[in-house]
Amino acid sequence: MSLLLYIVAVIIIVALIVGLYEKSTNAICTSKKRLDGKTAIVTGGTTGMGLQIATDLADRGARVIIACPFKNEGVDALKYITDNTSNTDVVFKILDLSSIASIREFAKDIINNEKRLDILMNNAGVGAVSEFITDDGMSFIMQVNYFGQFLLTLLLLPLLNKTGTTTDPARIVNTSSVLHNLGFINMNKINDIRYWFPVQFYANSKLCLVLFAHELTKRLKRNNVVVNCVDPGMVGTGIFRCVGNILGGVVTVIGFVLFKTPWLGAQTALHVALDKKAGELSGQFFKNCKLTRAKRSAYNDKVAVQLWNTSASLVGLSSEEIEKCFQ
Ligand SMILES: NC(=O)c1ccc[n+]([C@@H]2O[C@H](COP(=O)([O-])OP(=O)(O)OC[C@H]3O[C@@H](n4cnc5c(N)ncnc54)[C@H](OP(=O)(O)O)[C@@H]3O)[C@@H](O)[C@H]2O)c1
Ligand SMILES: *[C@@H]1O[C@H](CO)[C@@H](O)[C@H](O)[C@H]1NC(C)=O
Ligand SMILES: *[C@@H]1O[C@H](CO)[C@@H](O)[C@H](O)[C@H]1NC(C)=O
Ligand SMILES: *[C@@H]1O[C@H](CO)[C@@H](O)[C@H](O)[C@H]1NC(C)=O
Ligand SMILES: *[C@@H]1O[C@H](CO)[C@@H](O)[C@H](O)[C@H]1NC(C)=O
């Protein structure tokens, strides 16, 4: 019991320091850009930061498509967005990033039925949940946070490419994390749930996202689609529930009190999706609405290519199909 109290005390002190730092460095997206006639997808746009991002984009007049695996969350989120904006062009679609079949179905629906796609917010993610191997043979955390987003992004690339122009490029925003700093890439163990702790998988998945952005930027020939990563900082959302009932409850409560609100956490992603100057950059990493750098190994060309190949093979994308995504 006293050990538990001790742990809680340490968590509160650390959280207090982190919270103060986060709030003192935070920045707000100042873009006034309107998005009338444009379309945005926000994965995980049903709760936490994603819901705030989706609400902001809807408020700017965009057609907003939010997606998560649970219909009831989608219905609640739609109500929240339409209650808070005058935009009724908001739709919910089922998307489970832990299933290749679901990702393909979602992407097919979008490609067949949407005329354009201006913004893809790869916001969905799970925390350090207890691990298992998905039906597709990947670590659950890795598939939701990275492999699934890799596949989704590539499948939607033709529509993004069709929509973006060099003066107003289509934008892909990936939600990385400060924890990418702890990430490791070990191609042989990339889905080995007996080798890594869940927190390590989380960190690895966030590092993979940055490597992916780096590699994708190199492969995009025309500068009409840009892809950038953001670190939202520490944000009080439901994501911390993953660490267990007691500890998770404590961290969640602390997070809500001390960390950034989801609205504040959403600001950097919005900045990267809307700001004029940010749209001229690709393969970059932003925090607090400012350009910064991810850790050095996130820009390793060789690892990025290896990861790309490994990802393609794990999600079942042949080189012919990838070529089609780039046409
Ligand atoms: N909170 C932080 O301090 C922090 C820090 C750095 C980075 N991030 C990142 O920020 C992003 C948003 O996190 P958040 O804090 O807002 O978390 P959150 O409140 O837990 O929201 C996560 C969203 O992802 C969706 N999602 C989960 N599993 C999914 C799946 N299999 N397929 C599709 N969607 C799925 C969730 O939908 P359901 O609710 O329906 O499951 C939810 O809408 C994540 O990528 C996270 O890693 C968060
Ligand atoms: C948005 O609408 C919900 C009701 O669906 C309300 O509870 C919430 O406070 C509103 N938020 C803002 C920022 O207006
Ligand atoms: C975003 O994530 C996708 C899928 O993981 C990846 O293809 C792309 O390169 C990433 N972009 C950035 C800037 O990280
Ligand atoms: C990646 O795959 C491509 C095409 O399949 C191949 O030409 C290249 O040699 C591979 N690179 C690595 C590092 O595996
Ligand atoms: C985008 O479309 C153009 C033709 O409109 C094509 O030349 C280019 O290869 C496509 N793909 C990418 C990723 O730029």
Side-chain angles (χ1 to χ4, degrees):
M1 194 60 206
S2 64
L3 179 67
L4 186 65
L5 282 179
Y6 180 74
I7 293 175
V8 169
V10 170
I11 291 176
I12 291 178
I13 291 167
V14 171
L16 193 64
I17 295 168
V18 172
L20 283 174
Y21 173 78
E22 290 289 314
K23 287 201 174 115
S24 67
T25 52
N26 184 65
I28 306 291
C29 169
T30 53
S31 173
K32 298 266 182 303
K33 188 173 181 179
R34 291 287 309 172
L35 297 174
D36 305 286
K38 299 195 181 233
T39 301
I41 292 178
V42 185
T43 68
T46 51
T47 179
M49 272 179 264
L51 179 56
Q52 298 306 316
I53 293 171
T55 306
D56 185 292
L57 299 178
D59 205 32
R60 294 169 192 268
R63 170 172 168 78
V64 178
I65 299 163
I66 56 175
C68 88
F70 306 109
K71 187 158 185 217
N72 56 338
E73 289 205 8
V75 172
D76 291 349
L78 285 186
K79 182 171 173 349
Y80 182 95
I81 298 172
T82 44
D83 279 358
N84 287 309
T85 68
S86 51
N87 190 340
T88 50
D89 194 8
V90 184
V91 288
F92 167 72
K93 288 183 193 287
I94 296 271
L95 167 67
D96 182 357
L97 288 163
S98 71
S99 154
I100 288 180
S102 171
I103 297 167
R104 284 200 173 269
E105 196 178 329
F106 175 83
K108 197 170 156 198
D109 177 3
I110 299 292
I111 294 285
N112 289 343
N113 297 312
E114 297 297 328
K115 285 180 214 65
R116 55 187 300 134
L117 179 56
D118 300 88
I119 297 173
L120 171 61
M121 289 282 196
N122 281 321
N123 158 82
V126 287
V129 293
S130 58
E131 264 293 11
F132 63 92
I133 294 289
T134 65
D135 292 345
D136 300 318
M138 286 167 257
S139 127
F140 176 71
I141 298 175
M142 285 297 291
Q143 184 167 353
V144 173
N145 288 5
Y146 169 64
F147 291 117
Q149 312 199 24
F150 173 88
L151 177 60
L152 179 65
T153 306
L154 290 185
L155 293 177
L156 296 178
L157 201 51
L159 188 56
L160 289 157
N161 184 39
K162 199 174 90 182
T163 307
T165 62
T166 43
T167 48
D168 195 5
R171 305 195 194 193
I172 308 171
V173 181
N174 289 347
T175 311
S176 186
S177 162
V178 65
L179 285 178
H180 85 273
N181 283 300
L182 304 178
F184 287 105
I185 308 294
N186 178 339
M187 243 36 104
N188 298 321
K189 305 248 184 261
I190 201 152
N191 283 307
D192 191 337
I193 62 174
R194 276 170 309 193
Y195 190 77
W196 308 107
F197 287 115
V199 177
Q200 188 64 54
F201 263 125
Y202 182 84
N204 295 353
S205 71
K206 294 300 180 182
L207 176 58
C208 285
L209 281 177
V210 191
L211 281 155
F212 175 52
H214 180 63
E215 180 64 22
L216 183 57
T217 298
K218 284 202 285 180
R219 291 179 187 229
L220 292 167
K221 291 172 228 105
R222 301 162 65 224
N223 49 355
N224 66 330
V225 178
V226 297
V227 49
N228 289 296
C229 286
V230 302
D231 172 7
M234 294 297 280
V235 187
T237 67
I239 202 164
F240 299 107
R241 291 215 180 86
C242 62
V243 287
N245 281 339
I246 300 177
L247 217 54
V250 172
V251 179
T252 301
V253 170
I254 292 174
F256 278 117
V257 178
L258 297 177
F259 293 168
K260 293 185 190 182
T261 61
W263 182 81
L264 283 175
Q267 297 304 311
T268 302
L270 290 169
H271 173 79
V272 170
L274 300 166
D275 181 71
K276 191 158 185 319
K277 280 226 166 71
E280 292 162 6
L281 300 170
S282 192
Q284 301 296 323
F285 195 86
F286 288 77
K287 181 165 189 168
N288 292 322
C289 301
K290 279 202 250 348
L291 186 62
T292 172
R293 295 280 286 176
K295 79 162 168 175
R296 249 184 94 193
S297 65
Y299 304 99
N300 184 317
D301 292 333
K302 225 177 109 200
V303 175
V305 177
Q306 279 173 354
L307 180 66
W308 180 285
N309 283 7
T310 302
S311 308
S313 111
L314 282 169
V315 301
L317 271 180
S318 65
S319 24
E320 294 78 45
E321 202 180 356
I322 290 186
E323 232 164 77
K324 271 197 212 130
C325 296
F326 281 88
Q327 270 158 23

